[in-house]
Amino acid sequence: MKARIPQHREFIINFPDTVDNAKANEGWAKLQQIVEDYKKDHNGASVYAPSFIEDCEPAVKKLQEEYGFEYTVEFVK
């Protein structure tokens, strides 16, 4: 059996070692909440939805300022 996985873009997020562990955990929880809110607001849409990056990037950037993580958006096959 063969399956084709659609190509998509993903956030790649990294908390540097300079970020306190408790603060990083709090940041991860808020990032996860962005995903949950997206699914709720888009009738259960997946993070693989074409509009996920565009819809969520402003919120991710705001959290980046607060929590000091690094992120890129990468194309994944």
Side-chain angles (χ1 to χ4, degrees):
M1 183 166 110
K2 291 184 181 181
R4 290 195 184 270
I5 306 296
Q7 296 179 350
H8 62 279
R9 293 174 299 149
E10 293 180 349
F11 285 112
I12 307 299
I13 296 172
N14 177 52
F15 282 85
D17 292 338
T18 56
V19 176
D20 176 71
N21 198 32
K23 187 173 183 175
N25 288 337
E26 183 179 312
W28 278 118
K30 289 187 177 186
L31 287 163
Q32 192 62 35
Q33 188 61 51
I34 290 172
V35 173
E36 294 305 316
D37 291 345
Y38 179 83
K39 289 193 284 189
K40 202 180 319 175
D41 294 343
H42 293 86
N43 297 319
S46 163
V47 296
Y48 301 118
S51 65
F52 176 74
I53 298 293
E54 288 80 10
D55 291 344
C56 295
E57 193 163 27
V60 171
K61 284 183 179 182
K62 185 175 179 182
L63 287 180
Q64 180 187 34
E65 291 175 14
E66 185 177 351
Y67 290 94
F69 57 84
E70 303 161 347
Y71 84 91
T72 58
V73 176
E74 293 186 11
F75 189 72
V76 179
K77 290 185 181 182

